[in-house]
Amino acid sequence: MKREYLLFFFICLFYACSKEEDVTPSGLDQNIFASPDFSSEEEWAIRCDFFEQTGVYLIFNDSLCYRNVTTPQGTYPMCEMLNLQYEITSWAAHDIEYTLLTDIREKEEMAHVLANEVLTMLPKELYPYAFFVADDFLFGMSTGWFNEPLIATASWGCYRATIVGTNDFLEMNETERYRYKRSILRGILIKTWSLLDESVYDEFFAYCEGLYGEYHDYSESVMELGWLDVCSDFDYYEKEYDMMGYIMEIFSMTNEEFEQKYAKYPIVLQKQDALVRVLERLGVQVY
């Protein structure tokens, strides 16, 4: 059995080199998301099976692997840690707190849910690179001027991995589980939507094409132009925050709840309808 896991480990390393988004830091001779260093044999089997089924890496620990670092004084082992605040060109300022999932049965069940009930609602082109599954996950979004209060959150897409909080999901009833799975989709899509060419979303962006990159005074009147105050303040219009705002709202409520909340803003409803059409054409199960 161990020989089979070792063989699959090298397969994982080879596959990682072919992924479009390679997050292996330069200087490493291994993929940090495909290391068994902090996994029991049983957990490693879960992780390997998940990758084989989905092509997505799965981790349960923010300690990823050991690697050797060479200095003038010699070579020393160093633990590579997952940093969820890391971005390509900046540092995220969101508040993130989590506890590690330790129960092997829950790890196996969450892996099954992600592979067979969540990722099946997405096309492979919008899969995340890796999942970090935690136990409790609390998140407070930074909107520029301040951070929202920490609340239990299903998931959030970071550059290096999408974190998923179990948050007693396995104890939820069928209705609660469906809402929670849609919230996990929200966390995935706020990051992976940008993996596709921007032109895919032209139908959505067309409504505010003349606003992007412009400064506007803080006022709720901009909602009449189709802008949502969800993940950014009203001062600047940027396509990234426009898309993220609609993804967060669409996957946080039913279609009826969205229409009721934004009934006073017809352009918001038109943009929501346009984005739903685009996502469904891509193969996303929105509702």
Side-chain angles (χ1 to χ4, degrees):
M1 183 66 70
K2 290 183 178 179
R3 292 179 61 188
E4 293 177 359
Y5 294 154
L6 184 60
L7 175 62
F8 184 71
F9 170 66
F10 284 110
I11 293 174
C12 289
L13 295 182
F14 175 79
Y15 183 87
C17 294
S18 66
K19 295 280 283 186
E20 179 177 350
E21 181 183 8
D22 184 2
V23 296
T24 305
S26 59
L28 290 185
D29 58 359
Q30 66 185 81
N31 186 299
I32 60 178
F33 292 98
S35 169
D37 287 354
F38 291 91
S39 290
S40 66
E41 186 172 325
E42 192 172 5
E43 179 184 295
W44 180 237
I46 294 171
R47 294 174 57 196
C48 288
D49 289 344
F50 186 86
F51 182 87
E52 185 174 28
Q53 181 179 352
T54 66
V56 177
Y57 293 105
L58 178 66
I59 57 174
F60 297 99
N61 201 319
D62 51 5
S63 296
L64 300 176
C65 66
Y66 289 112
R67 66 183 180 97
N68 290 327
V69 177
T70 301
T71 70
Q73 287 73 38
T75 300
Y76 305 94
M78 186 186 80
C79 178
E80 187 76 29
M81 300 288 295
L82 176 67
N83 193 328
L84 295 171
Q85 296 287 17
Y86 172 77
E87 298 289 346
I88 301 177
T89 59
S90 63
W91 193 262
H94 307 305
D95 287 337
I96 294 176
E97 293 184 9
Y98 55 85
T99 58
L100 298 182
L101 186 63
T102 59
D103 186 282
I104 193 66
R105 179 190 63 84
E106 293 186 358
K107 291 178 182 180
E108 186 173 20
E109 290 191 35
M110 286 301 295
H112 177 83
V113 167
L114 290 173
N116 298 285
E117 301 181 35
V118 174
L119 289 181
T120 52
M121 301 169 73
L122 290 171
K124 289 188 176 181
E125 293 79 5
L126 294 177
Y127 280 13
Y129 182 82
F131 282 119
F132 169 39
V133 178
D135 189 0
D136 297 319
F137 172 45
L138 303 179
F139 181 78
M141 179 182 293
S142 171
T143 57
W145 296 104
F146 61 91
N147 281 28
E148 300 289 343
L150 284 167
I151 60 172
T153 303
S155 69
W156 186 257
C158 303
Y159 173 62
R160 303 181 81 182
T162 293
I163 181 171
V164 175
T166 303
N167 292 331
D168 297 323
F169 167 79
L170 299 175
E171 309 302 321
M172 296 179 184
N173 61 40
E174 185 176 350
T175 300
E176 293 169 335
R177 285 170 70 104
Y178 177 71
R179 280 184 173 268
Y180 201 77
K181 285 184 289 187
R182 293 189 73 242
S183 294
I184 295 176
L185 285 183
R186 175 189 65 191
I188 296 171
L189 287 170
I190 59 172
K191 183 61 64 175
T192 64
W193 72 269
S194 61
L195 295 177
L196 302 182
D197 190 89
E198 188 179 281
S199 62
V200 172
Y201 309 101
D202 281 349
E203 185 178 349
F204 168 79
F205 287 130
Y207 287 91
C208 292
E209 186 60 44
L211 301 177
Y212 297 122
E214 298 293 329
Y215 174 85
H216 296 269
D217 291 333
Y218 183 90
S219 169
E220 286 197 15
S221 64
V222 297
M223 294 183 70
E224 298 174 1
L225 303 177
W227 186 263
L228 301 182
D229 179 27
V230 175
C231 57
S232 177
D233 57 41
F234 286 128
D235 290 347
Y236 284 95
Y237 287 26
E238 299 293 347
K239 287 186 175 181
E240 175 186 2
Y241 295 118
D242 193 14
M243 177 66 75
M244 287 175 60
Y246 274 84
I247 287 174
M248 292 180 67
E249 289 293 85
I250 287 172
F251 288 92
S252 297
M253 61 191 79
T254 66
N255 187 47
E256 292 74 18
E257 290 168 340
F258 189 101
E259 291 178 347
Q260 181 177 3
K261 180 175 181 179
Y262 294 104
K264 296 191 300 182
Y265 306 103
I267 296 182
V268 169
L269 297 181
Q270 293 171 35
K271 288 181 65 176
Q272 179 249 8
D273 184 62
L275 183 55
V276 169
R277 289 198 303 271
V278 170
L279 293 176
E280 288 181 341
R281 284 199 299 268
L282 293 172
V284 179
Q285 182 180 325
V286 180
Y287 297 113

